[in-house]
Amino acid sequence: MSRSTVLGWLRSPLVWDLLLALVTVVWSFVFIRLFLPGRINVDIGNQYQQAIGQAPFTDWHPPVMSIVWRLLIDLTGRPGSLFVLQVVLIAAAALLIGVIINRSGAPRWISLLGPVSMATPWAVSQLTTLWKDTQMAAALMLAVALLVITRLVPRAWLLWLPAILLLVYAVGLRKNAVFALIPIAVYGAFCLRGPLRGGLRTVMDRAPRWGLAGLSVLVIGVVGFGSAATESVIESRVEVAHNGQISQIFLDDVMFSVPDAELRAADAPAELKDHISSARDTCLEKGEIWDAYWNCYGRGDTGRAFSPLEYQDELKDLWLNEVITHPVRYIEYRSAVFSSYFFSSKLEYWEADWNGDAEKVGYETGNAKADFIFRPYVEDFALATFPMLFKPWFWSLVAAALLGLAYREHKRGGTGPAHSFCPEITVLSTSALCYVFGYFPIVPADHFRYTYWPALAVTVAFVLWLAQRGIQRVRNLEP
């Protein structure tokens, strides 16, 4: 086969799409091979026990993940099937981003960054573990990729169905996913506005902003209804104990923002006040000012993990009467913990040596060689050399910069509405920022998994910005 023939084949968009698919499949296979059945911590172990019927369902973690895990185990007979699903979701999103860039007219090498994005150190770091945060990010990313196709490809309406299902799953996995969802809903409304303009011409032309706002509310409402309906169906099929996880947030706010004298004088059971006061001393001795349930309070009423706190109603009353009634000191405390989250990180990589939680629930630990290949890549190379890659402040800064670049490109006219990635850059960057700052009132720790969605979203936004610039350069060279 001649060189010109080979080059001709490679110039074919379909052949290049197949090459992108091959790269994605090979990488995903290697990754699954090395890390199957996925790594777990105490939280994931509890969800696994729920999935196999060894522990009762609770709402400490939304039960949708355990239900999906149970269905996959019933279907395949393999606990690692959830890990395969997690990798496949991100792989599908990465591939679609690459194909979209390839079909946009950008230089071919930029389209390769779609599949490559899932092999970056920050993407790999959390993909090894069955965090609900990772699955949420995977679901959000694939949903956005599908919505992009509905904007760029005529008559791609059917893709709205899996996109909505993925958004419902994401919100079911983490309630604070709603912060990331709001910009995505606005983008979804933007995608709908074009096809609907013919049927709603009068409304859309006379009040385009109100039309966009109305469609955004509609998308949020559909996802919210789907999430509530999913919870109702789950609770109708299995018994779900309500453990009141939100009481952890109340506990932190009361313990670390209310002075001891005011706590003692508050109208609450003496046992509760004594417990909070003594636990606070223990936490402060450890240098901890958050996550008191795990760090110093002794967990819930039984002392076992995930057991509900005693006096939940009284604790809520303390929060209402002693915390939010003093907004300055509440903001001071929340600023302190948010600063710790925003400028630092932990658990950037879950090592196989930390397999005690897996052993306790009888979960297989997987290939021991995986750490020898990937731990140096994530920790010794990326984390040690470029630690900012695992910090929320970095991804927030890049997101803000991309928003500025997208706005400037939009004001200049970009490359035309059909070929501009400004909407996608905007939604991904805004979603990342909303998600990060949405943690201000609730952040419990500085684990990198809480920054996984912003890191993925901003990475893809940056790749799309490169594609946008590439398209512009190609068009500028045209006679």
Side-chain angles (χ1 to χ4, degrees), residues 261-285:
E262 293 187 28
L263 174 65
R264 295 290 187 181
D267 183 17
E271 182 179 357
L272 174 62
K273 293 187 289 186
D274 291 342
H275 196 170
I276 292 174
S277 181
S278 61
R280 174 170 47 202
D281 293 339
T282 302
C283 260
L284 293 178
E285 288 174 3

Side-chain angles (χ1 to χ4, degrees), residues 122 141 394-400 402 425 428-433 436 452-465:
W122 51 93
M141 186 57 69
F394 173 78
W395 296 108
S396 299
L397 182 63
V398 178
L402 287 171
I425 296 168
L428 289 168
S429 300
T430 306
S431 180
L433 287 170
V436 168
Y452 194 60
W453 166 243
L456 281 189
V458 174
T459 298
V460 173
F462 178 72
V463 171
L464 291 173
W465 178 77

Side-chain angles (χ1 to χ4, degrees), residues 10-127:
L10 290 176
R11 290 191 185 100
S12 168
L14 178 59
V15 171
W16 195 263
D17 289 345
L18 293 175
L19 177 62
L20 294 174
L22 179 63
V23 171
T24 306
V25 169
V26 169
W27 164 251
S28 300
F29 174 79
V30 170
F31 195 82
I32 291 172
R33 167 78 178 175
L34 287 171
F35 285 99
L36 192 73
R39 295 179 176 174
I40 67 175
N41 77 330
V42 62
D43 301 270
I44 306 166
N46 180 252
Q47 290 169 291
Y48 171 65
Q49 287 184 302
Q50 293 177 32
I52 62 176
Q54 290 185 357
F57 285 93
T58 74
D59 65 351
W60 190 272
H61 299 290
V64 65
M65 176 172 155
S66 299
I67 291 294
V68 170
W69 206 343
R70 172 176 288 187
L71 292 173
L72 289 172
I73 292 173
D74 290 343
L75 182 66
T76 66
R78 296 181 178 274
S81 52
L82 184 67
F83 177 72
V84 174
L85 174 65
Q86 177 173 290
V87 176
V88 167
L89 289 177
I90 287 189
L95 173 59
L96 288 178
I97 294 298
V99 170
I100 290 166
I101 293 172
N102 177 38
R103 296 303 180 111
S104 70
R108 288 281 168 78
W109 70 268
I110 299 178
S111 67
L112 282 169
L113 296 180
V116 167
S117 65
M118 68 178 296
T120 55
W122 51 93
V124 167
S125 71
Q126 306 300 294
L127 192 55

Side-chain angles (χ1 to χ4, degrees), residues 153-470:
V153 179
R155 295 181 294 278
W157 286 77
L158 286 178
L159 295 181
W160 266 92
L161 179 58
I164 290 295
L165 290 175
L166 288 164
L167 293 175
V168 168
Y169 184 52
V171 173
L173 288 166
R174 286 202 69 96
K175 297 304 181 185
N176 63 314
V178 69
F179 294 113
L181 171 67
I182 292 172
I184 295 173
V186 176
Y187 174 74
F190 174 78
C191 295
L192 279 172
R193 188 175 61 171
L196 290 178
R197 184 176 292 275
L200 302 174
R201 183 175 298 277
T202 301
V203 175
M204 298 298 291
D205 287 348
R206 290 183 179 177
R209 291 184 181 178
W210 283 108
L212 184 64
L215 286 175
S216 302
V217 172
L218 175 63
V219 175
I220 294 173
V222 170
V223 175
F225 174 80
S227 180
T230 300
E231 288 185 8
S232 297
V233 170
I234 290 174
E235 294 197 7
S236 70
R237 300 285 181 174
V238 297
E239 184 176 351
V240 179
H242 296 278
N243 285 4
Q245 190 195 22
I246 194 174
S247 56
Q248 282 191 103
I249 299 172
F250 297 152
L251 178 63
D252 280 357
D253 289 344
V254 170
M255 183 179 294
F256 298 113
S257 74
V258 179
D260 194 64
E262 293 187 28
L263 174 65
R264 295 290 187 181
D267 183 17
E271 182 179 357
L272 174 62
K273 293 187 289 186
D274 291 342
H275 196 170
I276 292 174
S277 181
S278 61
R280 174 170 47 202
D281 293 339
T282 302
C283 260
L284 293 178
E285 288 174 3
K286 294 180 176 181
E288 299 284 357
I289 60 167
W290 54 9
D291 213 9
Y293 177 91
W294 296 100
N295 286 325
C296 57
Y297 197 73
R299 302 171 184 172
D301 52 4
T302 66
R304 291 194 293 267
F306 314 110
S307 55
L309 288 167
E310 290 185 296
Y311 302 111
Q312 289 191 25
D313 291 337
E314 292 81 0
L315 181 60
K316 180 181 178 180
D317 289 340
L318 275 175
W319 189 84
L320 291 171
N321 296 325
E322 304 296 335
V323 176
I324 61 172
T325 54
H326 297 79
V328 173
R329 71 188 187 194
Y330 169 72
I331 291 173
E332 287 177 346
Y333 167 65
R334 277 293 152 192
S335 297
V337 294
F338 185 78
S339 179
S340 296
Y341 158 72
F342 195 66
F343 294 108
S344 64
S345 65
K346 290 179 182 177
L347 299 184
E348 296 87 356
Y349 183 81
W350 194 265
E351 299 181 13
D353 287 346
W354 304 344
N355 61 6
D357 296 313
E359 292 175 351
K360 289 177 183 177
V361 298
Y363 198 77
E364 186 181 347
T365 55
N367 193 330
K369 297 184 181 69
D371 275 352
F372 290 96
I373 300 172
F374 285 100
R375 192 203 59 78
Y377 173 59
V378 174
E379 292 191 338
D380 298 334
F381 166 62
L383 180 60
T385 311
F386 309 104
M388 74 287 294
L389 294 172
F390 298 89
K391 306 294 188 286
W393 71 262
F394 173 78
W395 296 108
S396 299
L397 182 63
V398 178
L402 287 171
L403 279 175
L405 292 171
Y407 179 76
R408 186 179 68 174
E409 192 71 22
H410 172 71
K411 296 298 288 186
R412 288 195 314 187
T415 56
H419 299 93
S420 172
F421 288 125
C422 289
E424 288 72 33
I425 296 168
T426 300
V427 65
L428 289 168
S429 300
T430 306
S431 180
L433 287 170
C434 288
Y435 191 74
V436 168
F437 288 98
Y439 267 115
F440 183 87
I442 61 173
V443 65
D446 55 354
H447 300 168
F448 179 62
R449 61 190 174 104
Y450 301 141
T451 314
Y452 194 60
W453 166 243
L456 281 189
V458 174
T459 298
V460 173
F462 178 72
V463 171
L464 291 173
W465 178 77
L466 288 178
Q468 175 85 12
R469 300 300 298 164

